């Protein structure tokens, strides 16, 4: 029979619970175990009989149970029995460096009886050595060389060490020769994705962006290690407005100024009308033939005085001459209540305007960035650049890429320091991962982020397709996520912005209609009330006549 095809079918049908019972001569048992042990090497780690298969060997009394030194099967039990059928002894293969050895199975007192017969199962992968690939990426992976020794550390490396401690394996680090994460090239992928697809490595431990195209050439370990997003970091190069010829008007929003102007124009006119109406309650000039003409003259005479009084009240909160009629008193009272509110809020904001600066951002969203005079750049590596480049030209991401492509070739540089130098020196915005922009902002108080994500990305570890490690790794990763251990590790490697060493900016915020809206309501209510009082007086006067 074709042993390789049979073992492959057994692995696909039974993995990860593969149980073997062998009752045959020692020569045939040895041959069988050697064949299965070497099959994992032939499949380049795509099968795992060494770790996941459990063997029960039935030997007659006097037969040997020695295994060849090059057989690394971990879970083997040998049962020695007499030819008459009664049990003689039970031996189990226990891990002892430099090689495994047979030990008798004692009385089992453990709750998990499998550990009595298969003690190596308690040691996980039994210090198996895995080939791991990675690339340097800020918070996730930092690379350093000391005395010719390359060391890796960071968020992804801490996760890898945690998984290695739980599953009991060691690893050696490598990097793709082309230093690429994995981008589509001629129907396949380069970089890390190609290493996984060719089973050159067992695991990719880095911030590998989850992409549907990559999934056809590799597998991801879920849940992801992080959800990252692309943001924009920039520096303001326009001077803030601290001194202005219109300083007295700065505290007001345009809508507030418009409403105040309308109120200041309407109140004098109503006050002049109210003060000119005479219903006979006071002494008036004799003659009734030209009453209408006299009223118009009175309105004209009182209008100038009312305008002056209302204008002066804006600054001194009072009238030099009090209204004579009841409607005028109601109107003036409501006007004064508005002035009390406005004067208090205005005085506070005017003081702030003398000591604070106006918050003027060059842009507040991606559309504003596209319309601004800022040039845009990004690093050349990674799936994020590929996704932005492949976006529809009419989309925001597509328009961002068009603006990046129209820039000079410096945007092709993968060194973030080159981009950062340009951000500090000119009107230049960098499209970058939030994990990197947050670190840059923590180091430089002058940098700011747009706060609007260009692209969301889930990042995870990678495995070759149909890797036998997937089930064990995902089990550990789910526990790390649910228990909050990933968040603890992330807090260790991320730096939050500390504003204690940054000069505090005092920002002036203009007065809005909502802040003094109550005063305007009072004036409107007072105006309506004064008109009602005027109508009531007119009605009473008509009935008396």
């Amino acid at each position: 029979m074709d042993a390789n095809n049979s073992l492959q079918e057994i692995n696909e049908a039974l993995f990860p619970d593969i149980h073997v019972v062998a009752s045959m001569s020692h020569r045939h048992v040895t041959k069988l175990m050697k064949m299965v042990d070497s099959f994992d090497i032939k499949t380049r780690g795509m099968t795992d009989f060494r770790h996941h298969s459990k063997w029960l060997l039935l030997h007659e009394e006097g037969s040997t149970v020695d295994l060849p030194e090059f057989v690394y099967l971990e879970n083997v039990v040998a049962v020695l029995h007499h030819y008459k059928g009664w049990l003689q002894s039970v031996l189990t293969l226990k891990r002892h460096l430099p090689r495994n050895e047979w030990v008798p199975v004692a009385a089992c007192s453990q709750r998990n009886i499998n550990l009595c017969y298969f003690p190596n199962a308690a040691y996980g992968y039994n210090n198996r050595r895995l080939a791991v690939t990675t690339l340097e990426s800020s918070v996730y992976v930092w690379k350093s060389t000391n005395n010719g020794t390359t060391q890796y550390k960071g968020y992804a490396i801490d996760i890898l060490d945690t998984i290695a401690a739980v599953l009991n394996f060691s690893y050696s680090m490598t990097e793709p020769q082309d230093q690429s994460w994995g981008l589509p090239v001629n129907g396949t992928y380069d970089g890390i994705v190609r290493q996984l697809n060719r089973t050159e490595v067992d695991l990719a431990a880095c911030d590998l962006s989850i992409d549907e195209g990559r999934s056809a050439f590799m597998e991801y370990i879920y849940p992801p290690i992080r959800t990252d997003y692309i943001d924009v970091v920039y520096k303001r190069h326009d001077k803030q407005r601290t001194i202005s010829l219109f300083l007295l008007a700065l505290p007001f929003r345009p809508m507030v100024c418009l409403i105040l102007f309308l109120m200041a124009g309407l109140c004098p006119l109503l006050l002049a009308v109210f003060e000119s109406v005479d219903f006979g309650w006071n002494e008036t000039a004799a003659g009734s033939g030209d009453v209408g003409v006299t009223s118009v003259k009175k309105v004209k005479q009182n209008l100038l005085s009312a305008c002056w009084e209302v204008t002066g009240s804006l600054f001194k909160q009072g009238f030099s001459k009090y209204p004579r009629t009841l409607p005028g008193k109601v109107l003036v009272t409501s006007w004064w209540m508005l002035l009390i509110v406005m004067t208090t809020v205005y005085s506070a904001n005017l003081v702030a305007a003398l000591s604070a600066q106006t918050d003027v951002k060059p842009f507040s969203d991606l559309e504003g960035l596209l319309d601004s005079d800022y040039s845009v750049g990004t690093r050349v590596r990674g799936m994020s650049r590929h996704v932005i480049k492949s976006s529809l030209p009419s989309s925001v991401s597509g328009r961002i890429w068009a603006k990046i492509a129209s820039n000079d070739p410096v945007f092709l540089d993968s060194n973030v320091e080159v981009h950062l130098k340009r951000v500090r020196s000119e009107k230049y915005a960098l499209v970058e991962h939030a994990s990197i922009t947050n670190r840059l902002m923590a180091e430089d108080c002058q940098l700011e982020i747009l706060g609007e994500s260009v692209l969301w990305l889930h990042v995870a570890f990678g495995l070759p397709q149909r890797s036998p490690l997937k089930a064990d790794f995902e089990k550990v990763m789910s526990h790390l996520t649910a228990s909050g251990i990933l968040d603890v590790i992330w807090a260790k490697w991320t730096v939050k912005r500390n504003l204690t060493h940054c000069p505090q900016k005092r920002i002036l915020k203009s007065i809005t209609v909502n802040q003094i809206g109550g005063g305007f309501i009072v004036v409107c209510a007072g105006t309506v009330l004064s008109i009602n009082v005027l109508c009531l007086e007119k009605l009473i006067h008509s009935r008396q006549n």
Side-chain angles (χ1 to χ4, degrees):
M1 60 184 301
D2 189 340
N4 291 333
N5 289 340
S6 298
L7 289 175
Q8 185 65 45
E9 292 175 1
I10 290 173
N11 179 79
E12 294 176 357
L14 302 179
F15 186 86
D17 299 318
I18 304 174
H19 305 308
V20 181
V21 179
S23 177
M24 58 183 72
S25 65
H26 177 68
R27 181 174 63 88
H28 288 112
V29 168
T30 303
K31 184 177 179 180
L32 175 62
M33 299 181 75
K34 288 170 58 178
M35 179 182 62
V36 175
D37 182 73
S38 61
F39 187 69
D40 288 342
I41 300 177
K42 294 180 180 179
T43 60
R44 294 186 178 183
M46 293 299 98
T47 59
D48 196 3
F49 283 97
R50 289 182 177 183
H51 178 70
H52 285 282
S53 64
K54 291 182 172 63
W55 292 72
L56 179 60
L57 308 182
L58 303 179
H59 282 260
E60 293 184 358
E61 181 183 10
S63 62
T64 60
V65 290
D66 293 334
L67 292 178
E69 294 184 0
F70 50 80
V71 173
Y72 298 98
L73 297 172
E74 299 172 0
N75 303 304
V76 182
V77 171
V79 178
L80 302 183
H81 62 92
H82 195 268
Y83 70 94
K84 293 182 178 181
W86 48 271
L87 188 66
Q88 181 182 17
S89 62
V90 180
L91 303 178
T92 183
L93 196 67
K94 191 168 185 180
R95 183 172 180 79
H96 285 286
L97 295 177
R99 56 169 296 181
N100 297 336
E101 65 180 22
W102 292 101
V103 297
V105 176
C108 188
S109 60
Q110 301 185 40
R111 297 182 61 183
N112 188 352
I113 195 171
N114 282 329
L115 293 181
C116 295
Y117 292 94
F118 303 105
N120 290 338
Y123 302 101
Y125 285 163
N126 288 284
N127 200 31
R128 182 192 305 182
R129 193 164 186 81
L130 301 180
V132 180
T133 183
T134 190
L135 275 177
E136 190 173 12
S137 176
S138 184
V139 177
Y140 295 92
V141 180
W142 287 348
K143 179 181 177 182
S144 61
T145 303
N146 296 322
N147 299 326
T149 303
T150 302
Q151 296 179 343
Y152 296 89
K153 60 181 181 179
Y155 175 64
I157 304 302
D158 276 4
I159 296 176
L160 175 63
D161 290 338
T162 303
I163 299 176
V166 174
L167 297 178
N168 189 22
F169 66 84
S170 59
Y171 60 87
S172 59
M173 301 296 293
T174 184
E175 296 183 17
Q177 293 183 354
D178 55 9
Q179 295 293 299
S180 173
W181 298 91
L183 296 175
V185 178
N186 298 327
T188 183
Y189 279 75
D190 61 5
I192 291 178
V193 178
R194 180 172 59 186
Q195 286 183 300
L196 295 173
N197 182 247
R198 295 180 177 180
T199 63
E200 297 173 358
V201 294
D202 300 304
L203 171 69
C206 54
D207 52 322
L208 200 60
S209 301
I210 296 178
D211 178 71
E212 183 178 358
R214 287 176 172 175
S215 299
F217 297 86
M218 54 162 290
E219 292 188 10
Y220 293 98
I221 298 176
Y222 294 99
I225 62 173
R226 198 70 188 171
T227 298
D228 206 348
Y229 62 94
I230 308 299
D231 209 330
V232 178
V233 61
Y234 66 96
K235 177 184 176 182
R236 300 189 195 185
H237 292 276
D238 294 329
K239 294 183 178 180
Q240 303 298 307
R241 294 183 298 170
T242 54
I243 300 176
S244 174
L245 296 176
F246 304 98
L247 182 61
L248 293 177
L250 282 180
F252 289 117
R253 289 283 179 89
M255 182 59 66
V256 177
C257 296
L258 177 62
I259 297 177
L260 183 61
F261 176 78
L262 294 177
M263 289 292 182
L266 180 62
C267 286
L269 179 61
L270 292 177
L271 184 60
V273 172
F274 295 159
E275 290 297 290
S276 301
V277 176
D278 191 349
F279 298 111
W281 311 114
N282 301 307
E283 293 182 0
T284 59
S288 57
D290 54 350
V291 175
V293 177
T294 304
S295 299
V296 173
K297 289 183 178 179
K298 288 184 178 181
V299 170
K300 291 181 179 179
Q301 293 173 358
N302 293 330
L303 182 59
L304 180 60
S305 176
C307 290
W308 178 255
E309 295 290 348
V310 170
T311 303
S313 65
L314 290 172
F315 300 97
K316 68 177 184 177
Q317 303 180 20
F319 276 41
S320 60
K321 184 172 62 175
Y322 294 104
R324 175 179 60 86
T325 61
L326 183 58
K329 294 178 180 179
V330 174
L331 180 63
V332 170
T333 300
S334 61
W335 175 255
W336 282 350
M337 293 182 67
L338 170 64
L339 293 180
I340 292 174
V341 175
M342 291 195 60
T343 303
T344 304
V345 178
Y346 177 81
S347 299
N349 279 264
L350 182 60
V351 173
L354 298 174
S355 58
Q357 58 186 0
T358 309
D359 187 23
V360 182
K361 292 184 177 181
F363 40 81
S364 58
D365 52 20
L366 293 175
E367 292 287 349
L369 172 62
L370 293 171
D371 297 334
S372 68
D373 56 349
Y374 274 66
S375 56
V376 183
T378 187
R379 292 194 296 167
V380 70
R381 301 191 306 171
M383 180 57 64
S384 57
R385 170 186 174 272
H386 175 71
V387 173
I388 295 176
K389 181 180 179 180
S390 304
S391 301
L392 294 175
S394 58
S395 64
V396 175
S397 298
R399 293 167 60 195
I400 289 178
W401 177 254
K403 191 163 187 175
I404 292 175
S406 64
N407 200 1
D408 56 74
V410 72
F411 85 95
L412 293 174
D413 199 303
S414 296
N415 190 351
V416 68
E417 296 298 331
V418 175
H419 294 276
L420 185 59
K421 181 179 179 180
R422 192 172 184 185
V423 168
R424 292 190 177 113
S425 61
E426 57 184 281
K427 293 184 176 181
Y428 183 78
L430 174 61
V431 180
E432 187 54 87
H433 287 264
S435 57
I436 298 179
T437 60
N438 291 335
R439 177 177 62 83
L440 297 177
M441 291 182 59
E443 299 172 353
D444 193 339
C445 300
Q446 296 181 333
L447 299 182
E448 298 186 27
I449 59 174
L450 181 61
E452 184 175 352
S453 60
V454 180
L455 180 70
W456 285 93
L457 296 171
H458 299 285
V459 294
F461 286 180
L463 291 170
Q465 287 183 315
R466 300 179 300 277
S467 172
L469 304 176
K470 184 176 177 64
D472 293 329
F473 273 66
E474 288 191 340
K475 182 178 180 181
V476 177
M477 189 65 72
S478 297
H479 175 72
L480 295 179
T481 303
S483 62
I485 296 178
L486 289 186
D487 294 332
V488 175
I489 299 176
W490 179 257
K492 171 185 174 182
W493 290 104
T494 53
V495 180
K496 294 184 178 181
R497 194 172 196 183
N498 185 10
L499 297 179
T500 57
H501 68 282
C502 298
Q504 186 177 4
K505 295 181 180 180
R506 292 172 294 183
I507 304 301
L508 171 64
K509 294 183 179 180
S510 302
I511 301 174
T512 62
V513 177
N514 293 335
Q515 291 177 286
I516 56 177
F520 289 127
I521 294 176
V522 171
V523 172
C524 294
T527 302
V528 173
L529 180 60
S530 60
I531 294 176
N532 291 334
V533 172
L534 177 64
C535 295
L536 182 61
E537 287 188 342
K538 179 66 175 178
L539 179 61
I540 295 175
H541 181 66
S542 299
R543 293 188 62 180
Q544 289 180 348
N545 291 338

